[in-house]
Structures are given as structure tokens and as C-alpha cells.
Amino acid sequence: MSPDDRDVLPLSDAHRYLRAATAGLRHHTRTLTAQSFTGASARPADRPHLDSLHAHLTALHRLLDQLAERTRPERPASGLHLATAHARLWQAADAVHAAFHLLPAAAPGASDCHPERLPEGPPVLTICQRHLAASHAVRRKTTAADLAAPAS
């Protein structure tokens, strides 16, 4: 049994899609690791790759938000930890969004994020819209102090 298989839940549980997403991430990580060990030319992240990763992070961000809200009334300490994880995931998604815009774009100037107007198309359009929606949710439930606090 591999270390990654130790925490796998029984197939009968209701979290099969979450397990599938986790398996996909593990596969992707193993593929990148195998490429580095075999001497294959290491390719840096590209914009579509970061767009997909940002989509995953924001989906996980929404999930943690819902879990924190449902857990906090009955289990305040656990809810607080989930809320902290929620804030840290936002920080990760924000950093991936920033990295996306620092990568070279196909057309000059196409990498700029302008909230006052729509971006020029995919993937800039999708990542910026998704990021804007997530930032609204963060502003409703998270203070600047929460985001600036060191990880506990």
C-alpha cells in the first residue's frame, strides 16, 4: 500500500468526486516528478496550467467556506480551523492568479488584469472572472487581519 492510499475512504462513501479530484492531482504531481527524475526537459507552468490550478483552488475554497459555515455552530473550534484554511486557500488562489498574469501572453498587453473592463478572452477571461467572484466571497467573510495573520 502506498503512502497516498492510506487515507482513502471506502468506495461506498459520498465523497467519490472529491477523491477523484485528489487522485487527479496526485497523478499530475507524480507525472511532473517522474519527468524531473528521467531528465526530461522540465517545462515551466504555462497559462492554461495555472488557469486549471486556479479553478481547482477556488472550487476547494468554496467547499471549505461551506464546511466552515456548517461546522462552526456545533463545533466552534473545528469551524475556526476550517475558516483559517479557507483564508489560506484564498491566499494560494490569489498567488496563482498573480503568477498567471506574470507569465508571457500570446499577445502583448493581454496579460493585464483590468477589473473595470472584460479581459480579451480565454483563459484570461475565465481566470479573472473566477478570481473576482472568489474575492467577493472573501471580502464578505474574511477581514484583512485574518488574511495577514501568520499560519497557525
Side-chain angles (χ1 to χ4, degrees), residues 38 55 72 76 96 101 103 108 117 139:
T38 61
R72 194 172 295 161
V96 169
H101 286 292
L103 289 176
R117 64 180 171 85
R139 286 187 194 122

Side-chain angles (χ1 to χ4, degrees), residues 33-46:
T33 303
Q35 288 173 351
S36 66
F37 283 129
T38 61
S41 62
R43 291 184 5 203
D46 57 9

Side-chain angles (χ1 to χ4, degrees), residues 18-37:
L18 190 55
R19 276 196 333 277
T22 303
L25 286 173
R26 282 190 203 131
H27 173 74
H28 188 69
T29 302
R30 283 188 208 122
T31 301
L32 291 175
T33 303
Q35 288 173 351
S36 66
F37 283 129

Side-chain angles (χ1 to χ4, degrees), residues 22 29 35 47 49 67 124 127 140 146:
T22 303
T29 302
Q35 288 173 351
R47 296 181 114 204
H49 191 183
L67 288 173
V124 178
I127 192 170
R140 281 195 312 267
D146 291 336

Side-chain angles (χ1 to χ4, degrees), residues 119-130:
E120 283 69 29
V124 178
L125 177 65
T126 55
I127 192 170
C128 290
Q129 285 181 331
R130 185 184 323 113

Side-chain angles (χ1 to χ4, degrees), residues 52-115:
S52 295
L53 184 57
H54 187 269
H56 186 79
L57 286 170
T58 54
L60 191 54
H61 181 259
R62 281 190 307 273
L63 176 61
L64 270 174
D65 181 36
Q66 291 176 359
L67 288 173
E69 287 296 315
R70 291 178 181 182
T71 303
R72 194 172 295 161
E74 286 186 40
R75 307 272 192 254
S78 293
L80 180 61
H81 282 287
L82 290 173
T84 301
H86 175 256
R88 299 299 169 251
L89 265 176
W90 166 250
Q91 291 169 331
D94 193 42
V96 169
H97 180 250
F100 174 91
H101 286 292
L102 292 174
L103 289 176
S111 67
D112 301 333
C113 187
H114 300 283

